Amino acid sequence: MDLFTFLSSSVMVLVVFTIVLTLVPISVYLERRVSAVIQDRLGPNRVGLPLTLFGAKKDFHLFGLFQPAADGIKLFLKEDHTPAHVNKFYFILAPALVMVPALLSAAVIPFGSTMDMPFFEGRQVQLAVANVDIGPLLIFAIASLTVYGIVIAGWASNSRYPFLGGVRSSAQMISYEICLGLSIIPVLLYFGDLNLGRIADQQSRDGWLLLPIAFGGDGPVVDWRTLLLLPTLLIAFIIFTVSLFAETNRAPFDLPECETELVSGYHTEYSSMKFALFFMGEYAAMVVGSALIVTLFFGGWALPFGLDNLIRDPATGAFPWWASLMHMGVFLTKVIGFIVFFIWVRWTVPRFRYDQLMKLGWVVFFELALANILLAAILIAIFG
Amino acid sequence: MAYIKIKRPRLGLFEKLYLPALIKGLRITLGHAISTLRGKKRETMQYPEEKWDDNMPEHYRGAPALVTDEQGRERCVACQLCEFICPPRAITILPEEIPTEDKWAKVEKRPRKFEIDMIRCIYCGLCEEVCPEQAIFLRKDYAITGLTREDMVHDKEKLYEIGGVRTGLVNKWNELK
């Protein structure tokens, strides 16, 4: 590894870390504002720049965009109370175990296209921390560690509600991990690749997976092979999305923290920054999940209809630096759009009963995913 | 115990699939979101700019207050009925005799001290109901604030300031409140 690769990777680590950690407060803000407009309310719209403190005539409200900062300061200043009856070591370990996997799995997601570096002739940089050949597998492997954080939190709290929440979440997350993994096999069969960078790149050439129309490329505008596979890919998308809802403990599958039954589930005994870590971990998991869905099904950083073919360097397949930064913006827009979808669903669908949740996972999605794999494999074998 | 058989509604195929119903639900919430964003529908009142004052319901019970009549006489005769009926014991009255040289000597009694502790007051309106002289009324003032407990005690002066003048016979069932 030469110095350039080392430096560019380090910068990428910082960038990805910043992006994910910035998207978390943005999604908290969106959660509050979107839920408000859905319920005919306004939501937090006051917290902005307090210019009147510095002698100005008017405050600058900024649509309340500084609300998450105020929330963060509040959580930071709260008393960090550790109850006497908890198992201290695991009690402190658990919030970190929820937060870390969510941040780690962001490493393999391509946040933008391959960039021709300015000032460094002939150098190219991947806008991902680790462009490894096992992208989705790595994400699943790391994301499954989240369940330890929640179970340990429930166990170490040494009280009933957190314990019930922990038990529920372990059963739920393990069940839905199966559907999550099985559901994207048709997609991986279609791409024939596990490298998320190349998956996104292919979608920028041939159009998005769920919108397979591409102008300006080498191939035809509409790929009939993809159109034939589209129903199976659509089923894969639905199963994957719903399983992701369950995997990230979002409504309508937020049974582990189900406040009507369990106070607030596994983080009942937590306060201050330890609670904030759970909170941020949940939202970071949602951000990474949205990023994965976008990368697999909605072209990642790619513009729709293969528009990227017009600006691509035909020899190397890389993009000029401005295009790469634009791709990053496109990717973030899509991710935020998906986060809004997550929130929209949360404020629409009532929570599932636990047996309904298990039935949906094991009886409906598991079989459907298996049948879908078979169907996709046969179709690819015949027409592929 | 007799059994009651409840007939569950039979679900059609679309309802069993769940997804169409989900999309219908998403459409409803989206409709609400759009109408709120366009400013057509809004439940929130932005408090310091918009206030309840214009939207106060007719029957609203706010701060209790004392009133004077058209000749400037304070209506309260310090009978202390309100003090006795007040459930949270928010009212304290210290009666005094009206001196004979006073214009209203024939009324005989008036309150020297009339205090309502607004921290205790529960706005039940029993004082208004029990008052034989129609001297105490619940007004529509609702923003009662103070920095100390002493600030929150309304003395006689403050009570007359809120209450103002009432002319004629004011019955509880009158339009004007």
Side-chain angles (χ1 to χ4, degrees):
Chain A
M1 187 193 277
D2 59 324
L3 189 66
F4 178 80
T5 324
F6 177 73
L7 281 180
S8 65
S9 304
S10 314
V11 170
M12 230 16 244
V13 169
L14 271 181
V15 168
V16 167
F17 204 69
T18 318
I19 287 177
V20 175
L21 282 186
T22 318
L23 279 174
V24 168
I26 289 177
S27 41
V28 173
Y29 170 76
L30 284 173
E31 174 96 54
R32 300 183 68 171
R33 289 312 293 267
V34 171
S35 70
V37 293
I38 281 174
Q39 298 170 348
D40 301 341
R41 296 184 288 116
L42 286 177
N45 62 350
R46 293 297 171 99
V47 185
L49 299 172
L51 293 179
T52 40
L53 284 184
F54 308 108
K57 280 260 162 52
K58 258 183 122 175
D59 280 339
F60 195 46
H61 289 319
L62 266 177
F63 312 106
L65 255 175
F66 280 50
Q67 183 70 43
D71 289 349
I73 292 169
K74 185 201 81 172
L75 281 170
F76 197 74
L77 294 178
K78 286 224 165 185
E79 185 194 352
D80 194 356
H81 177 67
T82 308
H85 55 77
V86 301
N87 187 334
K88 287 226 170 50
F89 176 70
Y90 290 113
F91 189 77
I92 293 167
L93 181 70
L97 273 183
V98 171
M99 186 67 194
V100 168
L103 287 177
L104 264 184
S105 46
V108 291
I109 286 167
F111 279 77
S113 49
T114 309
M115 176 160 72
D116 262 332
M117 278 300 282
F119 315 121
F120 293 94
E121 233 17 77
R123 291 279 194 175
Q124 288 168 5
V125 173
Q126 286 271 358
L127 291 187
V129 173
N131 196 26
V132 288
D133 283 342
I134 49 164
L137 279 184
L138 189 89
I139 289 182
F140 291 150
I142 292 176
S144 63
L145 291 178
T146 316
V147 74
Y148 287 107
I150 293 174
V151 168
I152 288 175
W155 180 254
S157 291
N158 196 10
S159 98
R160 274 86 177 164
Y161 289 130
F163 178 69
L164 279 173
V167 169
R168 278 185 179 189
S169 89
S170 59
Q172 173 181 333
M173 289 174 86
I174 289 168
S175 314
Y176 275 86
E177 240 153 51
I178 296 169
C179 308
L180 201 68
L182 288 178
S183 66
I184 62 158
I185 290 181
V187 179
L188 301 178
L189 283 176
Y190 169 78
F191 285 121
D193 205 339
L194 273 170
N195 184 316
L196 285 174
R198 283 204 291 272
I199 285 176
D201 196 57
Q202 194 177 335
Q203 291 182 77
S204 80
R205 290 170 201 272
D206 306 337
W208 302 354
L209 190 67
L210 292 183
L211 190 70
I213 305 165
F215 301 99
D218 317 321
V221 170
V222 181
D223 189 359
W224 292 108
R225 173 178 163 255
T226 316
L227 274 190
L228 199 70
L229 271 169
L230 204 56
T232 59
L233 297 177
L234 202 64
I235 293 173
F237 168 66
I238 290 168
I239 298 177
F240 186 72
T241 312
V242 176
S243 303
L244 202 73
F245 275 99
E247 188 71 11
T248 50
N249 293 326
R250 286 286 298 179
F253 304 114
D254 55 347
L255 287 134
E257 46 191 303
C258 182
E259 56 286 295
T260 42
E261 295 162 26
L262 299 183
V263 190
S264 57
Y266 55 87
H267 54 62
T268 305
E269 305 283 350
Y270 283 87
S271 55
S272 182
M273 278 313 279
K274 292 206 197 79
F275 167 75
L277 271 180
F278 277 117
F279 198 65
M280 281 160 66
E282 191 192 326
Y283 278 91
M286 189 170 98
V287 170
V288 173
S290 308
L292 187 59
I293 290 185
V294 165
T295 309
L296 286 173
F297 295 96
F298 293 97
W301 43 264
L303 289 170
F305 310 119
L307 290 175
D308 291 315
N309 292 326
L310 305 173
I311 40 176
R312 185 194 303 273
D313 182 354
T316 56
F319 288 89
W321 62 272
W322 53 268
S324 277
L325 292 185
M326 180 198 70
H327 284 147
M328 208 175 221
V330 169
F331 182 73
L332 292 182
T333 314
K334 286 183 200 172
V335 169
I336 287 178
F338 230 92
I339 288 172
V340 170
F341 175 71
F342 265 68
I343 295 166
W344 182 16
V345 168
R346 172 170 177 188
W347 296 97
T348 302
V349 188
R351 184 180 295 128
F352 275 58
R353 219 166 53 211
Y354 201 72
D355 61 313
Q356 291 171 329
L357 172 87
M358 282 296 156
K359 201 175 153 198
L360 184 70
W362 286 105
V363 180
V364 181
F365 280 170
F366 182 56
E367 276 81 350
L368 195 61
L370 280 180
N372 199 26
I373 292 172
L374 194 68
L375 184 65
I378 290 170
L379 282 176
I380 287 172
I382 296 173
F383 300 100
Chain B
M1 278 289 282
Y3 283 100
I4 300 172
K5 274 204 172 170
I6 298 171
K7 246 198 138 134
R8 303 267 179 216
R10 284 183 71 84
L11 298 181
L13 181 68
F14 258 46
E15 288 162 316
K16 271 186 189 157
L17 276 178
Y18 196 82
L19 226 50
L22 186 70
I23 289 165
K24 211 190 258 175
L26 286 173
R27 243 182 31 220
I28 290 172
T29 43
L30 184 66
H32 275 268
I34 287 171
S35 68
T36 316
L37 283 177
R38 288 172 66 199
K40 275 187 175 172
K41 206 173 180 187
R42 181 167 60 104
E43 300 293 335
T44 311
M45 185 180 286
Q46 303 230 55
Y47 174 63
E49 291 90 18
E50 300 170 84
K51 286 193 175 171
W52 266 108
D53 300 348
D54 307 327
N55 313 303
M56 200 73 83
E58 272 301 300
H59 52 267
Y60 188 81
R61 297 199 302 257
L66 295 173
V67 294
T68 49
D69 68 3
E70 53 268 54
Q71 287 128 335
R73 178 182 71 89
E74 49 186 318
R75 282 183 178 236
C76 179
V77 295
C79 68
Q80 292 178 298
L81 276 178
C82 52
E83 185 177 0
F84 295 138
I85 203 166
C86 183
R89 301 191 186 169
I91 303 176
T92 321
I93 301 171
L94 188 69
E96 73 175 349
E97 205 169 322
I98 301 179
T100 41
E101 63 274 13
D102 197 283
K103 188 179 166 192
W104 305 110
K106 278 192 173 169
V107 181
E108 290 180 2
K109 256 172 106 190
R110 68 182 177 199
R112 187 199 299 171
K113 227 173 80 184
F114 197 116
E115 288 179 348
I116 304 182
D117 188 349
M118 294 312 293
I119 296 176
R120 305 203 71 146
C121 180
I122 57 170
Y123 306 94
C124 61
L126 284 182
C127 47
E128 175 184 337
E129 205 141 314
V130 81
C131 185
E133 296 288 327
Q134 289 140 13
I136 188 165
F137 288 94
L138 265 63
R139 308 304 308 270
K140 287 185 179 172
D141 302 57
Y142 58 91
I144 295 146
T145 54
L147 293 175
T148 57
R149 284 172 187 276
E150 287 73 44
D151 282 356
M152 294 299 287
V153 178
H154 284 179
D155 55 7
K156 215 169 99 172
E157 200 181 326
K158 174 86 178 166
L159 289 172
Y160 277 115
E161 186 193 315
I162 301 173
V165 181
R166 269 302 151 77
T167 51
L169 185 69
V170 188
N171 283 320
K172 297 176 194 86
W173 49 89
N174 277 7
E175 285 283 314
L176 177 77
K177 237 203 97 182

